[in-house]
Amino acid sequence: MLADAEAESVRRLLRGARLCSVGRAADMGVLALAGAGGEEVALHVQCPFRVVHGDRVMLGSGDLRYVRDGAAGEGAFDAFATMYDERAADLNRVLGGAGPVVGNVVLGPGGSLTLEAGRELRIEIVPDRSGRDECWRALVRGGPHYGYPPGVV
């Protein structure tokens, strides 16, 4: 678990931020947010995560393993033709208009991180490995970085 001061810094960074887009860099999930003060905030996720609306999973990191309907299987990942890419594009069309604001940030045991935004929208991040590999990082572009496990970022 993060130290109290670092956990509070993560909460302060993400609370009140507007979710702008979801994407990826290779197999790392990338969420772009506009901070409450207008700063560019990002969440880089290198472990399982999902975007949930109510009871429906809108996007999951596991979607990277599946080829989008109609796409060629060979090279689909490099061509950004996975189910993840398709679902991220759909979600981004909604986010572009809605821009839900993060109202609650929950840091749980084992590095879990949940952002609750708008009406019934949640981003759930669940580290699934032991060791000192980075699982997620919350950052301000050109500013502070925080992450899990502690001391890795």
Side-chain angles (χ1 to χ4, degrees):
M1 184 150 226
L2 297 177
D4 289 342
E6 189 169 2
E8 188 51 40
S9 293
V10 170
R11 285 187 196 95
R12 196 171 28 258
L13 175 64
L14 298 172
R15 194 178 295 128
R18 183 176 50 84
L19 185 57
C20 299
S21 68
V22 177
R24 69 178 173 105
D27 63 350
M28 177 178 72
V30 178
L31 290 87
L33 302 98
E39 65 277 11
E40 287 184 51
V41 176
L43 192 54
H44 294 171
V45 186
Q46 299 175 60
C47 65
F49 77 98
R50 63 189 191 164
V51 178
V52 180
H53 183 261
D55 286 333
R56 182 170 176 234
V57 176
M58 305 298 290
L59 171 74
S61 53
D63 291 333
L64 283 167
R65 293 190 299 267
Y66 301 100
V67 176
R68 184 179 69 215
D69 291 339
E74 188 74 25
F77 180 84
D78 292 334
F80 287 80
T82 67
M83 289 305 296
Y84 182 96
D85 301 306
E86 181 177 295
R87 299 252 161 80
D90 291 343
L91 188 56
N92 287 337
R93 280 190 281 282
V94 172
L95 292 175
V101 173
V102 176
N104 194 26
V105 177
V106 179
L107 290 146
S112 66
L113 173 63
T114 301
L115 282 66
E116 298 171 349
R119 297 175 52 120
E120 298 189 83
L121 185 68
R122 290 182 320 283
I123 298 162
E124 301 171 343
I125 299 169
V126 184
D128 68 339
R129 59 187 173 265
S130 61
R132 303 290 300 157
D133 294 331
E134 182 177 321
C135 294
W136 58 262
R137 174 185 300 227
L139 61 109
V140 174
R141 300 248 185 249
H145 291 219
Y146 308 98
Y148 185 84
V152 170
V153 175

